[in-house]
């Protein structure tokens, strides 16, 4: 889903006008607006400033913005305006003072203003404008952070409303007051989701006096003039149905309506899910059935080494005549035993490391399999989700 620059501008202007913001300049590509206090609190994130204003009672200064909805068109309009101004402007007169056109913010032909910086450092360029008169510039396109903030502020501020139908002028002069009937209206969003997705909006209304439920409640409201202010010479009837019971009745009504729909799409989605899970199970079947490699423990290898040494016959010292020959043979046997022990220890360490790495790889593969299976179920499993996105009390004649 996306929105064109025209749709974004229409939405933002509707939000700004509903909050009584002052539109100072407007074109097809941008709008310059001075925010109202309510809009400033919602969009500028200045809680300390508004806390100071509320504590001290000081007059509030809201911020001003230039929201650009089509940056390319806006830039072309700016360049065209500058080119037109350059053509109609008078020729530049040589400055005898040698200031090279720098006038410290003064218009041509006027004497330069005497400033403190000018006394010590000569002519200085004008500083950027700060303070309440500053107008910030932002690009508001689909996906921008400012538009997402406006979406959130509109969703939070318009989650619940309390509106009254405005009476005709003759009713204000009538002797008997007109009677309002209270209605609870809820806009439900229904999502039919699997690997595909479809959304529907159901705006239902229920009378808190009779319990009557009306579908497409918005069409009934569109023909009426609604305002948050209670009109004069009007009387609001007491509700006979509580809000909790009315909300439960609307949910039950919507559930019964959804149960009568055709859910062949869910059966097809379940078939696609089963097929994808079969492919996934087949892919990981060889890995999941693989056995852990068996490696002899260090104790068994050590005991075997000790047994081999114990079976060896201890050389007996002979007569001094042949002592030299026996000493050489004994040294050779000791060296061979030491080399065999080192070789066995090295092979044992390598087998242990190989077994540990195989166990780590197997656990990682199990985790990967479970993760992919969970993601596939989340993507393909058919589901119906119902959300109440907005509601309100409507007092109608």
């Amino acid at each position: 889903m996306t929105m064109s620059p025209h749709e974004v501008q229409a939405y933002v202007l509707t939000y700004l006008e509903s909050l009584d913001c002052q539109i100072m300049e407007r074109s097809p590509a941008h709008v310059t607006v001075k925010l109202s206090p309510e809009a400033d609190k919602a969009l500028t994130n200045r809680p300390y400033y508004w806390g100071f204003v509320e504590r001290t009672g000081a007059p509030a200064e809201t911020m001003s913005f230039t929201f650009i909805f089509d940056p390319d068109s806006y830039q072309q309009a700016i360049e065209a305006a500058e080119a037109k101004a350059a053509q109609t402007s008078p020729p530049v007169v040589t400055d005898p003072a040698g200031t090279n056109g720098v006038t410290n913010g003064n218009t041509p032909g006027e004497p330069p203003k005497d400033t403190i910086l000018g006394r010590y450092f000569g002519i200085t360029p004008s500083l950027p404008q700060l303070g309440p008169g500053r107008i910030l510039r932002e690009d508001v396109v689909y996906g921008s952070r400012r538009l997402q903030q406006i979406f959130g502020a509109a969703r939070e501020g318009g989650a619940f409303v309390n509106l009254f139908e405005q009476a005709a002028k003759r009713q204000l002069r009538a002797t008997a007051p007109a009677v309002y009937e209270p209605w609870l209206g809820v806009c439900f969003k229904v999502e039919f989701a699997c690997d595909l997705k479809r959304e529907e909006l159901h705006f239902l209304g229920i009378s808190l006096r009779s319990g009557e439920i009306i579908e497409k409640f918005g069409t009934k409201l569109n023909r009426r003039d609604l305002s948050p202010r209670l009109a004069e010479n009007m009387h609001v009837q007491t509700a006979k149905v509580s809000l909790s019971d009315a909300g439960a009745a609307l949910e039950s009504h919507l559930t019964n309506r959804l149960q009568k729909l055709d859910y062949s799409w869910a059966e097809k989605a379940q078939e696609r899910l089963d097929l994808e899970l079969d492919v996934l199970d087949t892919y990981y079947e060889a890995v999941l059935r693989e056995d852990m490699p068996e490696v002899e423990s260090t104790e068994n290898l050590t005991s075997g080494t000790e047994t081999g040494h114990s079976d060896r016959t201890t050389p007996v010292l002979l007569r001094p005549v042949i002592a030299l020959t026996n000493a050489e043979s004994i040294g050779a046997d000791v060296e061979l035993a030491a080399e065999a022990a080192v070789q066995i220890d090295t092979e044992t360490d390598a087998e242990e490391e190989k077994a540990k790495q195989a166990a780590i790889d197997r656990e990682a593969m199990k985790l990967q399999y479970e993760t992919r299976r969970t993601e596939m179920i989340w993507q393909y499993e058919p589901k119906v989700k119902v959300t109440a996105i907005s509601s309100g009390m409507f007092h109608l004649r």
Side-chain angles (χ1 to χ4, degrees), residues 130-374:
L130 302 175
R134 179 181 53 170
I135 299 179
L136 301 180
R137 170 180 170 177
E138 286 193 14
D139 294 344
V140 181
V141 297
Y142 185 75
S144 62
R145 295 183 60 184
R146 179 62 72 181
L147 184 59
Q148 295 298 327
Q149 186 185 28
I150 294 176
F151 284 159
R155 188 182 304 112
E156 182 180 357
F160 185 85
V161 295
N162 188 20
L163 300 177
F164 301 87
E165 182 181 358
Q166 296 301 295
K169 294 183 178 180
R170 64 177 180 273
Q171 176 60 39
L172 302 178
R173 299 187 297 269
T175 56
V179 178
Y180 278 135
E181 181 181 7
W183 289 77
L184 173 64
V186 182
C187 183
F188 294 97
K189 182 177 71 172
V190 182
E191 299 179 13
F192 304 93
C194 53
D195 52 331
L196 305 175
K197 188 175 181 180
R198 182 168 62 92
E199 296 180 350
E200 294 180 357
L201 293 178
H202 297 265
F203 195 6
L204 306 180
I206 180 173
S207 172
L208 299 185
R209 292 284 297 180
S210 61
E212 177 189 1
I213 296 178
I214 296 179
E215 297 184 356
K216 297 182 180 179
F217 188 57
T219 58
K220 183 176 182 179
L221 299 178
N222 291 336
R223 300 190 299 265
R224 302 171 184 266
D225 183 16
L226 301 176
S227 173
R229 186 178 62 87
L230 176 62
E232 299 177 0
N233 202 17
M234 303 294 289
H235 171 68
V236 178
Q237 291 180 319
T238 305
K240 294 182 178 180
V241 182
S242 64
L243 291 178
S244 58
D245 294 340
L250 291 179
E251 292 179 3
S252 177
H253 178 83
L254 183 59
T255 302
N256 294 334
R257 179 177 177 181
L258 295 178
Q259 289 176 351
K260 299 178 183 179
L261 299 179
D262 181 16
Y263 287 95
S264 58
W265 64 270
E267 298 175 357
K268 296 179 181 179
Q270 187 63 42
E271 293 176 359
R272 293 195 297 270
L273 173 61
D274 296 338
L275 178 61
E276 293 292 336
L277 292 179
D278 291 340
V279 173
L280 183 67
D281 294 341
T282 303
Y283 178 78
Y284 284 93
E285 182 178 3
V287 180
L288 295 176
R289 292 193 308 176
E290 184 180 355
D291 297 331
M292 293 291 292
E294 297 181 359
V295 182
E296 296 182 358
S297 61
T298 308
E299 297 179 356
N300 295 335
L301 293 174
T302 306
S303 61
T305 305
E306 293 177 353
T307 303
H309 281 291
S310 61
D311 293 340
R312 185 183 296 277
T313 304
T314 304
V316 181
L317 294 178
L318 301 179
R319 290 177 297 177
V321 180
I322 55 174
L324 182 59
T325 304
N326 291 335
E328 292 177 356
S329 62
I330 292 171
D333 292 341
V334 172
E335 291 178 358
L336 290 175
E339 292 178 358
V342 171
Q343 184 177 2
I344 292 175
D345 293 341
T346 304
E347 293 177 356
T348 303
D349 295 340
E351 292 295 334
E352 289 181 352
E353 291 295 331
K354 185 177 179 180
K356 292 180 181 179
Q357 187 62 38
I360 294 174
D361 295 341
R362 182 179 176 82
E363 292 299 326
M365 194 64 64
K366 284 184 178 180
L367 179 61
Q368 183 181 8
Y369 167 72
E370 294 173 357
T371 302
R372 293 194 62 181
R373 187 179 179 86
T374 303

Side-chain angles (χ1 to χ4, degrees), residues 50-61:
W50 285 107
F52 165 78
V53 170
E54 293 173 357
R55 289 193 307 269
T56 61
E61 275 292 342

